[in-house]
Amino acid sequence: MLIRVFRASVRPGAEADYDRILREVAIPSLQKQPGLIALHVGHGLPSSLDEYVMVSVWKDFEAMKAWTGDDWWHAVVYPGEARLVTESHVDHFETF
């Protein structure tokens, strides 16, 4: 199995717009992907509400890559998302 951890910082004041994109577009899209085992999405506690994390667990590397495409080490960006995010990064881990 493969664990993908996406973290993003959102422009101050853009949290509600980012929440909407996650709830209406990103999460439903991800949940339909073959090979996705689990998905956990959250934002920071009150002192860091502009920080978001999305942890997805995949059956294998091929399943994740079928969703991300060849640039699997970069974030998958949904329409309207890029203008809200000030910084993001993605990490991958193999389970043992």
Side-chain angles (χ1 to χ4, degrees):
M1 286 190 294
L2 184 88
I3 301 168
R4 178 178 167 98
V5 180
F6 166 76
R7 292 185 55 118
S9 297
V10 176
R11 279 187 308 108
E15 296 87 0
D17 289 337
Y18 196 68
D19 283 357
R20 184 182 50 72
I21 289 172
L22 290 177
R23 292 176 196 273
E24 295 177 7
V25 181
I27 293 170
S29 171
L30 256 168
Q31 289 175 327
K32 294 177 186 174
Q33 299 305 311
L36 179 71
I37 295 171
L39 177 65
H40 300 280
V41 182
H43 59 74
L45 296 173
S47 62
S48 58
L49 289 175
D50 61 332
E51 296 289 326
Y52 288 79
V53 65
M54 182 179 292
V55 178
S56 52
V57 180
W58 297 86
K59 181 180 110 182
D60 54 30
F61 178 78
E62 290 74 25
M64 184 212 53
K65 192 174 172 193
W67 169 64
T68 63
D70 290 335
D71 290 336
W72 57 270
W73 59 91
H74 290 114
V76 173
V77 180
Y78 291 93
E81 184 180 8
R83 66 180 176 80
L84 304 174
V85 175
T86 59
E87 178 182 351
S88 69
H89 54 89
V90 180
D91 294 302
H92 300 88
F93 304 89
E94 187 174 14
T95 62
F96 59 91

